[in-house]
Amino acid sequence: MAAADRFTGPLASAWPDVGVARLEGLLTSPELALPVPPAHHRGVWAEPHVHGPTLADLRAPAERDRTTPWPTPLASQYARYHRYGDRETYERQVFARQRRLTRASVLAAVTLDNGWLDEVVDGVTLLCEQSSWCWPAHDDTHTVHGTVLPTVTDPYLDLGAGEVAAQLAWIDHLLGEPLDVRAPGLRARIRFEVDRRVLTPFTARRDWHWLGLDGDVHNWNPWIHGNVLVAALRLVDDQTRRAALVDLVVEGLDRYVAALPADGAVDEGYDYWWNGVCRVLEALDILAHAAGGALDDVPGDALRHSVAFPHRMHLGGPWYLNHADGAARPAVAQPWHALHRAARRVGDRDAQAHAAAHRRPDAPVAGAEQGLGRLLRALTDPSWVDAAPGRSPLPRDVWLPSTQVMLARRTAGSAEGLTLALKGGHNGEHHNHNDVGSVVIALNAVPVLVDAGRPTYTAQTFGPDRYGIWTMQSAWHNVPHPRATGQSPGQGFTARDVTHVADDIRSAATMDIAPAYPRSDLRHWWRTARYDRRGGRVEIVDTWEFDPAVEPPPTHVHLLVAGEVRLADGRAEITALDGAGRIGLSWRPASALCAATVRPIEDPMLFDVWGARLHRLAIDVTAFGPSGELVLTVEELPPHEALLGGAP
């Protein structure tokens, strides 16, 4: 790539002289390029030196694995996506195979036992013989070649292919010497397969959508680039080609970093931070090691600020403010060590404490589900393994102007009482849900007025019928439904005139969300969400103005509720999940009628978060005419007080 054609972002600005020629001189040898000691460093890998509980957590399932056949992804399972939209059946087999190999690799490094090495040899060979490393939902085989099975002569470089390439590179790094003795030729096979499936397609095609050449950069970019970086550093011996690959990776990552907003927010939400921003931070950490410390920097204020994003979205305990396709109660097995390491590098003590707060003393390292590279980094990072317990900072006020997300609680450092969140933004965000103006309210960290999140991915999730899924629709978010109309997707459907204020008395945001709806007769719908710190109360004020109409369709304000609901005139009482307590809702005018709809939950991803059902409250404000106001007040109820009378 000519220097004049190179994308210039924060990385290029911080390292203006980095290119192929300089990288050739900077990059250490493949044997030293990855920041994990290989298995022959027995002072690291002999069993007494590996954290006991973590090793036990890996050993038990690994031993069970060896009594069963290897998971076998079948052609018919691959075809199910293209035939029926089912991506889970095939992916379960692929993920199980890779997790088994990850566990076996660590056990082989710890024991150097021939039985475990043979398990690794089998797993590596199975991956090398697998027709495709691409996940079927991403493969363009059907579009380009008209097939429902992988086209092995035209491999597609997606998240799955990148993950396998990096896994094999880490295995080569960790176990290269013993594998040369136990299975001569296996490492040559690794290099051949990674080159033809990943490294050559990476350079031969420069129209990959995830490169962000059109300015639309999302989490695929750092996820794939980070894995290509690992594979190139370890598996390519030709230093010029190796430097050229790394140079392309740096240029690609630069596009992602340049697209981050100044406040460090992620429009895909907390859940996707781990496979977006976190992947960039991990890649830069590996690059710094491979360059002998010459590139030891985290360039760009936005990237540095993004390290704070996870704790800014923390409601408390296992609960997080979720937007887009994220879960309100995500999997606990996140690579917290990666956040801890990044926080140390940028000097963010709050983020470091937040990561340490999620470190389990009995098993401080996440298991095989996070991938071999992340597992190895965690096992060999003494600052993480020996980290002192931390406490999540739980900031009192959060305002992210790029995504127009507000979060407010009564006092910093405590999840007690109510927490209020409000989201503006627009409906063209990555992994978008139609949710402009939506509120979330938690009680003692547990969401009560909630964002459902997303169900199990299928072909519909990212297809033209995405908004046929109920969780993506504004009708199932905490927003108005003016004249029977839901919000529309697209960047033009947005909030306008957004303001925010926060002080010791209150935190509040106001926005006009009328532009989020495809109605020319809706002049304004002002929504204000206000946290009263003195009283510990939340108010949601909706003020609207329509063009007059004869017998207009009904207008409702919707509230999606987790927990048990009791209704009365102008009031509702909600018992939160997890024994978090009860809240009382009241609204003015109290004459507005409210109806409750039960939404049964059958999808396993949603069931794991919310249980068997959610409730939607629909407050009917049609009768108040083309101009009106509804004020919703939310308060925590004392343990023995019943808002509606009778036993609480």
Side-chain angles (χ1 to χ4, degrees):
M1 175 182 299
D5 297 331
R6 185 182 181 88
F7 179 80
T8 302
L11 303 188
S13 298
W15 308 323
D17 58 343
V18 169
V20 176
R22 184 160 184 239
L23 286 169
E24 279 192 73
L26 281 181
L27 296 177
T28 57
S29 67
E31 293 76 18
L32 302 175
L34 299 184
V36 169
H40 62 259
H41 286 237
R42 302 313 292 160
V44 174
W45 288 107
E47 190 155 349
H49 302 288
V50 181
H51 195 276
T54 296
L55 189 59
D57 284 349
L58 294 170
R59 189 189 298 273
E63 293 283 8
R64 289 195 298 270
D65 286 343
R66 289 209 291 180
T67 66
T68 64
W70 277 84
T72 304
L74 301 174
S76 59
Q77 295 168 343
Y78 201 96
R80 284 186 64 84
Y81 174 78
H82 300 288
R83 291 170 176 164
Y84 315 117
D86 171 18
R87 56 187 290 171
E88 289 286 307
T89 302
Y90 181 85
E91 287 180 4
R92 275 196 301 269
Q93 297 299 313
V94 167
F95 298 159
R97 173 179 279 186
Q98 290 182 250
R99 287 193 296 267
R100 176 169 174 168
L101 178 55
T102 287
R103 288 188 288 262
S105 298
V106 173
L107 269 295
V110 169
T111 65
L112 293 182
D113 175 76
N114 284 339
W116 286 116
L117 286 169
D118 282 347
E119 179 85 344
V120 172
V121 170
D122 287 343
V124 167
T125 302
L126 285 169
L127 284 181
C128 289
E129 293 176 348
Q130 194 170 297
S131 292
S132 176
W133 294 344
C134 178
W135 299 338
H138 303 157
D139 199 347
D140 64 0
T141 183
H142 189 265
T143 302
V144 175
H145 302 286
T147 73
V148 297
L149 299 177
T151 303
V152 297
T153 55
D154 187 17
Y156 192 87
L157 177 49
D158 77 324
L159 302 175
E163 281 288 289
V164 175
Q167 182 178 27
L168 294 177
W170 283 109
I171 290 171
D172 186 272
H173 173 75
L174 180 69
L175 297 168
E177 288 189 6
L179 287 176
D180 274 342
V181 174
R182 189 66 180 169
L186 183 67
R187 298 176 70 196
R189 178 73 185 277
I190 288 174
R191 282 159 173 74
F192 172 78
E193 296 294 347
V194 170
D195 185 60
R196 79 174 183 88
R197 298 172 188 250
V198 172
L199 299 181
T200 292
F202 176 63
T203 55
R205 277 186 61 175
R206 301 307 294 162
D207 62 343
W208 300 108
H209 72 86
W210 43 265
L211 293 177
L213 300 179
D214 60 355
D216 182 23
V217 193
H218 50 80
N219 72 311
W220 279 41
N221 175 300
W223 194 344
I224 295 174
H225 278 112
N227 283 327
V228 169
L229 175 68
V230 170
L233 288 172
R234 178 60 201 181
L235 301 176
V236 177
D237 294 321
D238 182 295
Q239 188 73 339
T240 301
R241 185 182 182 223
R242 191 164 170 254
L245 285 162
V246 173
D247 187 55
L248 278 179
V249 167
V250 172
E251 195 263 353
L253 291 173
D254 207 8
R255 291 183 182 276
Y256 183 85
V257 176
L260 291 175
D263 55 20
V266 178
D267 67 352
E268 293 165 300
Y270 163 82
D271 235 358
Y272 284 85
W273 183 91
W274 297 100
N275 284 320
V277 172
C278 188
R279 296 280 183 175
V280 176
L281 295 165
E282 290 173 289
L284 294 181
D285 188 59
I286 288 172
L287 181 63
H289 175 86
L295 306 178
D296 189 11
D297 192 10
V298 180
D301 288 342
L303 186 56
R304 298 172 71 87
H305 289 160
S306 73
V307 175
F309 185 72
H311 72 256
R312 287 173 173 165
M313 297 295 99
H314 190 205
L315 296 175
W319 296 95
Y320 284 79
L321 177 61
N322 62 311
H323 297 134
D325 279 345
R329 184 161 54 187
V332 295
Q334 305 289 3
W336 294 105
H337 61 90
L339 174 59
H340 194 264
R341 190 178 307 112
R344 299 195 312 258
R345 291 187 72 194
V346 304
D348 189 328
R349 294 185 178 275
D350 282 345
Q352 190 173 331
H354 179 66
H358 289 76
R359 177 187 175 277
R360 288 173 48 202
D362 60 327
V365 177
E369 62 274 9
Q370 288 298 320
L372 180 58
R374 283 177 160 176
L375 178 56
L376 296 179
R377 299 283 342 249
L379 286 168
T380 56
D381 180 354
S383 295
W384 170 250
V385 172
D386 299 328
R391 181 183 177 89
S392 185
L394 297 174
R396 188 191 73 175
D397 289 292
V398 174
W399 173 245
L400 300 172
S402 67
T403 52
Q404 299 171 348
V405 169
M406 177 188 84
L407 186 145
R409 49 176 58 90
R410 194 163 193 173
T411 58
S414 173
E416 292 184 4
L418 297 177
T419 299
L420 165 67
L422 171 70
K423 178 189 176 297
H426 59 80
N427 284 332
E429 296 165 339
H430 296 114
H431 291 264
N432 178 71
H433 291 196
N434 289 339
D435 60 356
V436 173
S438 188
V439 296
V440 168
I441 297 177
L443 174 63
N444 299 320
V446 180
V448 182
L449 301 186
V450 310
D451 185 317
R454 60 96 173 169
T456 302
Y457 281 161
T458 67
Q460 184 181 4
T461 310
F462 299 107
D465 297 326
R466 174 178 176 86
Y467 295 97
I469 301 171
W470 68 272
T471 62
M472 317 296 183
Q473 300 166 7
S474 66
W476 292 95
H477 284 80
N478 298 318
V479 296
H481 200 62
R483 291 186 172 173
T485 303
Q487 296 181 13
S488 290
Q491 193 165 348
F493 295 93
T494 184
R496 68 187 171 197
D497 300 329
V498 180
T499 61
H500 173 257
V501 62
D503 54 35
D504 292 340
I505 298 173
R506 85 285 196 205
S507 181
T510 298
M511 57 189 66
D512 184 1
I513 61 175
Y517 297 88
R519 293 202 67 93
S520 60
D521 60 345
L522 180 57
R523 299 174 183 173
H524 298 284
W525 192 295
W526 290 101
R527 165 157 283 193
T528 297
R530 182 185 303 117
Y531 193 106
D532 171 11
R533 290 201 163 88
R534 291 176 175 173
R537 291 184 298 273
V538 168
E539 276 192 346
I540 310 299
V541 181
D542 285 318
T543 306
W544 59 89
E545 184 179 353
F546 290 97
D547 290 338
V550 178
E551 297 184 5
T555 295
H556 295 89
V557 173
H558 287 160
L559 302 172
L560 190 63
V561 176
E564 297 304 316
V565 180
R566 299 172 67 201
L567 281 177
D569 291 344
R571 297 173 295 170
E573 178 184 306
I574 302 168
T575 302
L577 302 175
D578 294 354
R582 295 175 302 125
I583 66 170
L585 307 180
S586 58
W587 51 88
R588 305 189 308 272
S591 58
L593 299 178
C594 180
T597 302
V598 176
R599 182 84 205 196
I601 303 295
E602 298 177 352
D603 182 88
M605 288 195 67
L606 295 175
F607 188 93
D608 286 348
V609 177
W610 306 117
R613 61 189 174 275
L614 292 169
H615 297 82
R616 184 178 68 182
L617 306 184
I619 303 173
D620 191 340
V621 297
T622 313
F624 304 144
S627 299
E629 180 178 87
L630 180 76
V631 179
L632 175 72
T633 302
V634 185
E635 299 179 276
E636 180 179 8
L637 295 178
H640 303 294
E641 178 181 322
L643 180 69
L644 305 183

